[in-house]
Amino acid sequence: MRSVLAVHAALLILLVSGCAKQPATTQASAPSPSGTPGAISPPPGRSQSTPPGAANRPAAGRTDGTSARPSPREFSETAALKDIHFDFDKYDLRAGDAKVLDADAGWLKANGSNLVLIEGHADERGTDAYNLALGERRAQAAMNYLVAQGIRASRITIVSYGEERPVCKDHNEACWAQNRRDHFLTKAE
C-alpha cells in the first residue's frame, strides 16, 4: 500500500512541476555555429491555451541565472545590429543569418560595455502560447550562437513577443516572413 502511495505522490509531483505558467529561462549552451536545428509543433489534436496574463507580458529571462535583469524598456535601437529571420515554424539559424550574427558578435566584442536584448518574434499563425514559445526558442538560438562566438551569456537577455509586435500587418507570406525574426537592442552596462 505504501509503495502505491509513493508512486502516486511521485506522479503528482512530476505532473505539477511540468505545468509551468511561463516558458522556463535556460542557461546558454554553445551549439555548433549552425545553431540548433528544429521546429516545434503543437501536440496533435490539442489546442494550446495561454496562461492567465501571458499574452500581455513578454517571456523574459536573464541568462546568468539571476533574477535581477534589465527591463526591455531600458534597451534601445542600435543601427549596427541587424535582425535575423527564420523559416516558417523553425528556430534553426540559416547560413545567411549566421553571417549577420557574426557581424553582430564583432560589434558586441568591440563594444564590450553594452548589454544586448534579443527579442524573438513569430508571425500571426498559431496560438499565442505557441508563438511565445517559438519566439523564445528563436531568441535562444541567436543567444547560443553569440555565446559560441565569445559573447558572455551574462550580457544577453532574451524576451519573446510571439506575434504581438509585427513589423508588417498584411496577411501574406511575404509579410509573415518579415515578422519571423530576432531583433537586437542594446543598453550600456
Side-chain angles (χ1 to χ4, degrees), residues 21 27 35 43 53 58 68 84 88 95 110 118-120 123 138 140 158 162 175:
K21 290 192 177 196
Q27 275 300 91
I84 61 170
F88 173 70
I118 304 172
E119 297 178 342
D123 63 35
R138 288 173 173 168
Q140 186 70 49
I158 64 171
C175 187

Side-chain angles (χ1 to χ4, degrees), residues 80-116:
L81 299 180
K82 304 297 180 199
D83 290 358
I84 61 170
H85 294 85
F86 297 86
D87 291 327
F88 173 70
D89 198 32
K90 303 276 186 190
Y91 58 93
D92 55 321
L93 300 175
R94 303 180 299 187
D97 293 309
K99 291 179 182 178
V100 171
L101 286 175
D102 288 338
D104 289 352
W107 187 89
L108 289 167
K109 286 177 184 176
N111 295 274
S113 64
N114 283 288
L115 302 176
V116 64

